[in-house]
Amino acid sequence: MRFWNAIVLANDAADYALAVTLLIAVPSLLALAKRLTSHFLVNGIPAAMARAINPWLLLPLAVYAAALPLELPPRLDRVVALGAVVALLAQGGMWASCALAAWFERRFRDVRARDPDGATTLRLIGFAAQGALWLLVGLLALDQLGFDVTALIAGLGIGGVALALAVQNILGDVFACAAIALDKPFVVGDFIVVDGLRGTVESVGLKTTRVRSLDGELLVFSNADLLKSRVRNFKRMLERRIQFSIGITYDTPAGKLRCIPDWLREVVQAQARTRFDRAHFKGYGDWALEFEVVYYVLEPDYNLYMDVQQSLNLAIYERFGAEGVQFAFPTQTIFVREVKRALRPALADYVSEKGATRTTG
């Protein structure tokens, strides 16, 4: 009992025992709480907040709890209290950040199905909300540490100019993200083509835009570079204009040449969801008589266009076969004239002249 009541640094052994118990118990309870909540809460905002519990980050809280029954020097007591406040602010920021992220992600999935344009804007608002949240947490932490936050904010004006010059490329991508969200040249879910690269937009981030290509790989574009490029947005198409050519042989009779544009018009008009534009005898090719056909598919779907074009090709092949019109393929005809007999007298005279010259010499 004498040892238990001994006073060391203004605290007896019982105080130290209680402090050690709290130092061990608080992190253990936090870890247990995280495990239990993660087990029972699978989805939703509470589950996201539970997964954001960081026992190591809250260790200063355990130190603060352990210091409560002890008599500490004022400066040390102040340091322990500040550490606990900063740790609590950081953990609170993580809880708020996870809650915001979970809420915006759920809203994003709902809005994306109904309004792709609004989904891109919502993503940008989510980034801005996260940035504002952590800025607020940082300012509160600095205020608790004794910094003059008002003077700091005023000084950010000069420092911001230097920082903007240092990270102008990053800021360019950030402003390009805002331009994409507001102007909406494309949104999540659109099929775009950029410099020959094509795919479906998966996400628009602060710095990059991610596009899933037809082959499956992920294409990553810088937002600033993307806005400088010529972007072809196929999702915004109302209809497709199709142009193709057909070549037939030169021995086709003139009467059938006059009928071919009408045949082509008939096969196009027989297709559903198409609008015929024109069909003409285009010109004389190197090895074929060329006809050009232009029509419209009334829906932008690429698979529908391929189905229509396949039906047209089969119909044209059958019609031309029934009419006896042959398709041309690259051929070349060589004409050889008999020139040996015509060259003999001239060659004889040349040989005689050369012989006489040598004899005289």
Side-chain angles (χ1 to χ4, degrees), residues 8 16 33 38 61 99 142 166 171 173 182 189 224 242 270-271 285 300 304 319:
V8 179
Y16 286 115
S38 299
L61 288 178
L142 291 175
L171 290 178
D173 290 327
L182 296 175
I242 311 301
Q271 304 298 318
L304 173 61
R319 183 63 182 269

Side-chain angles (χ1 to χ4, degrees), residues 185-261:
F186 55 84
V187 296
V188 174
D190 283 1
F191 186 85
I192 64 173
V193 177
V194 183
D195 297 333
L197 301 174
R198 58 187 62 212
T200 303
V201 179
E202 282 196 349
S203 65
V204 180
L206 281 178
K207 180 170 175 56
T208 59
T209 294
R210 289 168 172 78
V211 178
R212 183 68 62 179
S213 74
L214 293 176
D215 296 328
E217 70 268 22
L218 186 66
L219 305 176
V220 181
F221 296 93
S222 167
N223 289 333
D225 292 340
L226 193 59
L227 287 186
K228 294 176 184 177
S229 305
R230 290 176 175 84
V231 180
R232 301 172 62 190
N233 191 336
F234 284 85
K235 188 69 175 292
R236 305 292 179 86
M237 291 177 60
L238 300 178
E239 56 186 15
R240 285 181 179 268
R241 181 181 184 273
I242 311 301
Q243 175 181 322
F244 67 96
S245 297
I246 297 175
I248 63 173
T249 58
Y250 267 89
D251 58 1
T252 305
K256 291 186 176 181
L257 291 179
R258 293 189 179 91
C259 295
I260 287 177

Side-chain angles (χ1 to χ4, degrees), residues 57-127:
L57 185 61
L58 293 179
L59 186 60
L61 288 178
V63 174
Y64 179 74
L68 288 177
L70 300 177
E71 291 290 337
L72 299 177
R75 182 172 297 180
L76 181 59
D77 189 63
R78 173 66 176 168
V79 170
V80 172
L82 286 178
V85 170
V86 172
L88 190 59
L89 284 174
Q91 183 61 67
M94 292 183 64
W95 280 330
S97 178
C98 290
L100 276 176
W103 186 83
F104 274 106
E105 186 62 30
R106 187 175 63 184
R107 289 285 300 165
F108 179 78
R109 289 195 299 266
D110 295 340
V111 173
R112 180 177 178 178
R114 295 180 280 104
D115 181 16
D117 293 352
T120 305
T121 304
L122 186 65
R123 182 74 80 181
L124 180 62
I125 295 174
F127 285 132

